[in-house]
Amino acid sequence: MTNTFYKAFASERYKLSKNKEVFGVLFLPTLVVLGVFFYLIYKVPMEPIALNPWYGFLGRYVFMFFYMLFPVLIAVFVHSCCDVEYKNNNYKLLFTLPISHAKIYLAKALFILIIVSFSVVGAYVFFLLSGYLLQFISPNYGFQNFDFREIAFYTFFKLWIGCLAVSMIQFALSLFFRSFIYPVGFSLFVTVFCSVISSKKFADFIPYSSSPKSFDNLMNQIASLERLDYINLIYNIFFLGLSYFIFIRKKNL
């Protein structure tokens, strides 16, 4: 059982790792952090400042990009994982393999969740490294005067939970719609919509508000989980199950 699942996962990993969108979702967030890092070196203040630079400079600039970048990147990446099967009608071929359909589905879903997780973790690591390096390169910012590890951890942890929920929603949409316009367009529209209504209480029920709220979390220095984070966990489970039923129905197409 474990061996067949590993084979299914290895097959999915090999097949999907050929998509250039994998590298986009993995490295673009990290490149944003590096871009902000070099910008801060270029704009280093002449005199020491009292403002906490972790959120006043590094966090503010980074998350201005992140709140739009992550949902759209995830939507494009997840659809590319499904589009591989649409080409040459590979879904019919998948259901003829002597492997459980559930294992094939779980292998694909697990690959998506792992790549999205690596994307968020990579951005988190480079975020912290940028701040620590700026302590020595540009001490006038004052990164060395503040301990921002707990806030940064909760901010990226909550962003990670939200990104997983978004990836599972996009997985269901990409399995249902063959054209990339619908899932990617939906992600873009809802992300913009959530950036407008993120301060409203009902925004907690929309996973796409996780990105703009992570920006608020950083700026307000919140070190705890909130209602949105628990709701996102429920979304993860629900859409993981819904995506499976959509996937199984494809054997009848």
Side-chain angles (χ1 to χ4, degrees):
M1 178 177 178
T2 304
N3 187 43
T4 55
F5 175 77
Y6 175 77
K7 289 180 179 178
F9 179 76
S11 174
E12 291 298 322
R13 183 186 60 188
Y14 174 78
K15 178 171 53 181
L16 300 178
S17 63
K18 300 300 180 181
N19 291 351
K20 60 181 181 297
E21 288 82 359
V22 172
F23 302 99
V25 76
L26 275 175
F27 298 119
L28 273 181
T30 299
L31 290 177
V32 167
V33 178
L34 290 175
V36 172
F37 170 72
F38 287 113
Y39 173 77
L40 290 177
I41 293 176
Y42 174 74
K43 298 289 289 186
V44 59
M46 299 300 295
E47 300 292 335
I49 58 175
L51 176 68
N52 186 334
W54 284 97
Y55 72 86
F57 291 99
L58 184 61
R60 180 159 58 92
Y61 295 150
V62 165
F63 277 86
M64 282 174 60
F65 290 96
F66 276 7
Y67 91 93
M68 283 288 292
L69 185 66
F70 266 111
V72 175
L73 275 180
I74 289 172
V76 173
F77 161 65
V78 172
H79 183 77
S80 72
C81 293
C82 297
D83 190 54
V84 170
E85 311 302 349
Y86 288 123
K87 295 175 180 177
N88 300 319
N89 205 14
N90 281 348
Y91 276 111
K92 285 188 176 181
L93 177 62
L94 280 178
F95 290 116
T96 62
L97 297 176
I99 302 177
S100 167
H101 300 157
K103 291 178 183 178
I104 297 174
Y105 166 77
L106 287 175
K108 190 180 293 290
L110 181 61
F111 179 83
I112 291 172
L113 293 175
I114 289 175
I115 294 298
V116 171
S117 298
F118 272 119
S119 178
V120 178
V121 170
Y124 169 61
V125 170
F126 274 85
F127 180 86
L128 290 179
L129 285 176
S130 296
Y132 292 142
L133 288 174
L134 286 167
Q135 294 180 13
F136 304 101
I137 299 173
S138 307
N140 279 353
Y141 278 116
F143 281 91
Q144 65 277 10
N145 300 327
F146 300 92
D147 186 356
F148 210 64
R149 288 174 298 178
E150 184 179 21
I151 304 299
F153 170 78
Y154 272 99
T155 299
F156 278 91
F157 183 64
K158 295 163 76 170
L159 176 65
W160 173 67
I161 295 174
C163 285
L164 294 186
V166 168
S167 66
M168 287 298 97
I169 294 174
Q170 291 299 141
F171 193 26
L173 290 172
S174 295
L175 286 171
F176 191 80
F177 296 106
R178 179 165 185 163
S179 173
F180 79 97
I181 296 175
Y182 298 107
V184 176
F186 174 82
S187 176
L188 182 59
F189 170 77
V190 179
T191 300
V192 173
F193 175 73
C194 287
S195 68
V196 176
I197 56 92
S198 61
S199 60
K200 307 296 183 181
K201 290 185 177 179
F202 66 85
D204 286 350
F205 296 94
I206 309 175
Y208 294 81
S209 65
S210 299
S211 294
K213 278 185 173 289
S214 64
F215 176 75
D216 295 334
N217 185 95
L218 190 79
M219 299 305 290
N220 296 319
Q221 303 185 57
I222 300 172
S224 62
L225 295 180
E226 299 176 294
R227 179 172 61 176
L228 172 63
D229 307 306
Y230 297 110
I231 292 175
N232 281 339
L233 291 173
I234 296 174
Y235 271 112
N236 270 302
I237 298 171
F238 175 78
F239 278 95
L240 185 64
L242 179 62
S243 297
Y244 174 70
F245 286 106
I246 298 175
F247 178 78
I248 291 300
R249 282 174 56 88
K250 288 191 173 293
K251 67 181 178 180
N252 299 320
L253 297 180

